[in-house]
Amino acid sequence: MINLFLAGDVMIGRGIDQVMPHSVDPRLFEHYVHSAEDYVQLAERTSGPIPRPVDAGYVWGDALETIEAMGPDCRIVNLETTLTTSPDAWPAKEIHYRTHPANVAVLRAARIDCCTLANNHALDWGEDGLLETLDSLHAAGVTTAGAGQNLADARAPQIFDRPAGRVIVIAFASTTGGVPRDWAARDGRAGVDVVSGWSVGGAGQIAARLSTIRRAGDVVVASVHWGSNWGYDIPDGQRRLAHALVDVGGVDIVFGHSSHHARPIEFYRGRLILYGCGDFITDYEGIGGYEEFRNDLVLAWFATVDPESGQTVALTMAPFQLRRFQLLRPPQADVEWLASTLDRHSRSFGTRVDPTPGGLIRADPIQPLTM
């Protein structure tokens, strides 16, 4: 069996950057907030003082112990932060995320193997910012998928050879997730791998990319940044694309993200589809609006995959609560709220979700898998 750790949007910039040992210029270009320091103050007004400077493992909090205990073979996150000192904010874009390149130590603290970068913040600080991000991650031994110096680089799969088998990670972004079409990588131009809307043509492209490298027993993870920020409804086009990634693309896990909270879970032909993993690490603490979605509660996703069949045989989620820019174990009542909410919205996708002993959550297909 191959065990994977997946986490949705990891955003270690802006306010979080300001409490790290190395920080960038805090100036922002947002309508209502003009300094990253304001996000620190907002979080402190909400939850209490944040020490400065924090160490590289601080933001992971209790999650570090949980990740180590689960023993994943491969650790994959969607990094929604550039690591750059570039002063060139993307014009006409309001929200820009970045952290000092030295803060790559945060990712190393959790021993992250792969950062997917095909998302709507990869070029917040222009091509130079993306290139510095790539250099910083690669120099630290963290691989990347979904963005690169050119189109071939952005589309290149990453392969992780583990004792139980190989894990292949591929990543792309949909314009439905707020990714500008002009961020697309091209020959001779840095950028991300972008598809328009819910185009199922992307599934065929993935199959073509995998055709020369995939072996029997490989587990393929497709990271997809797609869809809106809030709500539990899954558009028909999104579901068709997810199924095409399995049927046509040969994908075993659809690792979807963009929404600020977790969305429905589906086991399609035994393959795991995560329509929205939700945020994982952010500086959103204390920001008002959409409180009914409880985006202070986040999930670490642990999938156990049978490499022979490609089916996910177990899915466990570890819930955490963001407090003072740190992941902490939540009260049991919050664990049960998360489980019941996901259960309610996943039932129509053939999935049940239940809390388990030890403060974890488990998802299973309502109909047992056939091997």
Side-chain angles (χ1 to χ4, degrees):
M1 296 296 171
I2 292 178
N3 298 306
L4 302 175
F5 161 58
L6 304 170
D9 298 348
V10 170
M11 203 293 285
I12 56 173
R14 212 166 55 177
I16 292 174
D17 170 80
Q18 294 302 301
V19 302
M20 299 299 296
H22 303 276
S23 302
V24 296
D25 186 334
R27 284 180 296 175
L28 300 175
F29 305 96
E30 302 172 16
H31 287 313
Y32 301 106
V33 178
H34 304 294
S35 172
E37 283 284 348
D38 294 341
Y39 285 97
V40 181
Q41 295 172 15
L42 184 60
E44 290 185 323
R45 284 200 299 269
T46 302
S47 303
I50 299 171
R52 297 198 198 193
V54 300
D55 62 36
Y58 172 85
V59 294
W60 298 95
D62 294 332
L64 281 181
E65 181 182 0
T66 299
I67 296 169
E68 291 300 322
M70 298 296 285
D73 298 303
C74 198
R75 307 173 186 214
I76 307 163
V77 304
N78 179 57
L79 182 64
E80 269 209 333
T81 318
T82 55
L83 287 83
T84 182
T85 57
S86 169
D88 300 322
W90 191 272
K93 191 174 190 292
E94 181 182 359
I95 306 297
H96 302 85
Y97 295 151
R98 64 173 172 166
T99 191
H100 193 282
N103 294 333
V104 71
V106 174
L107 300 168
R108 293 180 64 186
R111 298 198 290 134
I112 300 303
D113 294 299
C114 183
C115 288
T116 62
L117 300 178
N119 58 57
N120 60 319
H121 290 285
L123 275 89
D124 276 358
W125 296 89
E127 290 184 45
D128 287 344
L130 172 59
L131 292 173
E132 188 175 11
T133 299
L134 292 167
D135 288 344
S136 300
L137 290 167
H138 297 165
V142 183
T143 64
T144 58
Q149 299 182 25
N150 51 51
L151 182 58
D153 195 21
R155 288 183 170 178
Q158 295 295 334
I159 303 174
F160 301 91
D161 204 345
R162 300 294 188 255
R166 299 199 312 173
V167 178
I168 300 176
V169 180
I170 199 161
F172 67 93
S174 165
T175 54
T176 63
V179 183
R181 186 68 217 181
D182 56 0
W183 280 17
R186 301 174 189 168
D187 292 338
R189 176 183 169 182
V192 302
D193 187 14
V194 183
V195 300
S196 296
W198 305 118
S199 172
V200 297
Q205 292 177 6
I206 286 180
R209 286 181 238 170
L210 295 173
S211 63
T212 59
I213 63 170
R214 187 169 189 177
R215 305 173 186 167
D218 287 347
V219 172
V220 178
V221 178
S223 168
V224 194
H225 202 72
W226 57 5
S228 61
N229 288 336
W230 304 103
Y232 297 100
D233 291 339
I234 304 301
D236 290 341
Q238 186 175 14
R239 196 172 188 185
R240 282 194 297 271
L241 173 55
H243 290 184
L245 288 170
V246 174
D247 292 334
V248 179
V251 169
D252 299 307
I253 293 183
V254 179
F255 167 39
H257 36 77
S258 180
S259 59
H260 288 311
H261 56 88
R263 281 185 166 159
I265 302 162
E266 182 175 14
F267 293 89
Y268 173 68
R269 294 177 50 197
R271 273 66 174 185
L272 176 63
I273 299 175
L274 302 174
Y275 285 100
C277 286
D279 295 328
F280 194 59
I281 296 174
T282 71
D283 70 345
Y284 303 164
E285 202 169 336
I287 298 175
Y290 301 100
E291 284 85 357
E292 68 270 26
F293 295 104
R294 292 295 308 273
N295 71 314
D296 62 312
L297 299 176
V298 304
L299 291 169
W301 305 76
F302 298 94
T304 300
V305 185
D306 176 4
E308 292 188 8
S309 68
Q311 295 187 345
T312 294
V313 296
L315 176 63
T316 301
M317 296 89 83
F320 298 97
Q321 187 169 36
L322 285 161
R323 283 287 179 265
R324 301 183 299 280
F325 294 167
Q326 190 173 46
L327 295 170
L328 304 175
R329 292 186 179 87
Q332 183 61 27
D334 287 338
V335 175
E336 293 173 1
W337 181 89
L338 265 175
S340 64
T341 300
L342 274 176
D343 181 70
R344 184 166 64 254
H345 294 287
S346 298
R347 285 278 173 160
S348 62
F349 292 83
T351 302
R352 62 174 295 170
V353 181
D354 299 290
T356 69
L360 300 177
I361 297 172
R362 181 182 174 92
D364 296 282
I366 294 172
Q367 296 296 326
L369 295 177
T370 57
M371 303 296 287

